[in-house]
Amino acid sequence: MTRDLRVFIVDDDPAVVQTLGVLLRANGYQVEGFTSPDEFLERSPDVGLACLLLDLRLGDRSGIEVQGELRRRGFTLPIVFLSGQGDVPSTARAMREGALDFLVKPVEEPELLETLTRARMRALTQLEEQQARRAATERLARLTRREREVCDLIVRGLLNKQIAFELGASENTVKVHRARVMHKLGVDSVAALVQLLSGYRPPPSSL
């Protein structure tokens, strides 16, 4: 059975990378293994459905540092930490920072496969959210500056009369802008407009 989840393995022990790779490939997963976190970070793992099996201790770097670097770069793939030690403080920190799970090596096959099933569900949700944000950004780019102002006030729940007052425009002008906003964004109700913008995140400032 071929699975659509790509699994990245990052562990400074080549034997662990090889063993996990063989096990996961036998279960139909696409696998890429790395013994160096820097090599993995150079890979830029933006490949759709994917997750990361990440060793907690990687020589002179920690898995938590790699987790932080991925977050800074905007990668949101689910992370499952692996460790041969019961490091409770590190476990708590990793989970606070968004790790999916924390498994102790040697990992039992059923436990690992169950965790990867959950990782795929999270990765799918994240991918859908990213696609929704991208679609919202593309649609919003179609609006003029004034249409965007009207759009933002509609989402805030203001009526046409209130929007006209806020913008110093006539109510008829606001109605025209409102119709254009709904048409360009492909929505037919305020509720649909709010839903479209609910997942939108503005691009980071270049300043």
Side-chain angles (χ1 to χ4, degrees):
M1 177 173 60
T2 300
R3 302 179 186 271
D4 58 359
L5 180 72
R6 182 177 297 274
V7 181
F8 295 103
I9 305 170
V10 180
D11 194 301
D12 60 358
D13 185 341
V16 172
V17 174
Q18 181 178 9
T19 299
L20 290 177
V22 170
L23 186 156
L24 294 178
R25 290 187 183 95
N27 281 277
Y29 286 99
Q30 306 169 58
V31 179
E32 290 187 42
F34 302 85
T35 55
S36 163
D38 292 330
E39 290 179 2
F40 167 69
L41 291 170
E42 290 174 2
R43 167 66 171 78
S44 297
D46 188 10
V47 293
L49 285 180
C51 75
L52 171 61
L53 299 181
L54 179 61
D55 192 19
L56 179 63
R57 303 191 184 282
L58 296 162
D60 58 352
R61 299 188 68 173
S62 74
I64 291 178
E65 289 176 359
V66 176
Q67 179 187 31
E69 181 62 26
L70 287 171
R71 186 173 60 251
R72 284 189 291 275
R73 296 186 185 188
F75 295 120
T76 59
L77 75 169
I79 298 176
V80 177
F81 277 97
L82 304 174
S83 175
Q85 306 175 23
D87 192 336
V88 176
S90 294
T91 303
R93 179 180 174 186
M95 300 301 286
R96 282 198 308 272
E97 308 243 347
L100 175 71
D101 209 338
F102 200 104
L103 305 179
V104 177
K105 295 186 290 186
V107 183
E108 297 294 331
E109 181 175 347
E111 181 182 23
L112 177 58
L113 296 180
E114 187 276 331
T115 300
L116 290 181
T117 297
R118 291 189 289 113
R120 183 191 180 279
M121 293 174 61
R122 178 180 288 189
L124 182 60
T125 298
Q126 292 173 339
L127 185 61
E128 290 173 345
E129 290 173 349
Q130 290 170 2
Q131 292 171 341
R133 286 194 295 270
R134 189 177 299 115
T137 300
E138 292 173 353
R139 292 188 193 181
L140 287 169
R142 303 171 189 168
L143 303 182
T144 65
R145 180 183 60 82
R146 180 48 63 106
E147 288 168 352
R148 181 57 195 270
E149 291 173 344
V150 171
C151 176
D152 291 341
L153 293 173
I154 293 172
V155 171
R156 283 172 49 189
L158 273 64
L159 303 175
N160 288 343
K161 184 182 299 185
Q162 296 168 315
I163 295 173
F165 177 79
E166 286 281 339
L167 299 179
S170 70
E171 190 171 346
N172 284 336
T173 297
V174 170
K175 289 180 180 178
V176 171
H177 285 311
R178 186 186 188 109
R180 289 175 177 169
V181 166
M182 306 297 271
H183 175 71
K184 288 183 177 181
L185 297 185
V187 296
D188 57 6
S189 68
V190 174
L193 177 62
V194 171
Q195 182 177 9
L196 174 68
L197 269 65
S198 63
Y200 171 70
R201 296 292 184 275
S205 171
S206 59
L207 298 180

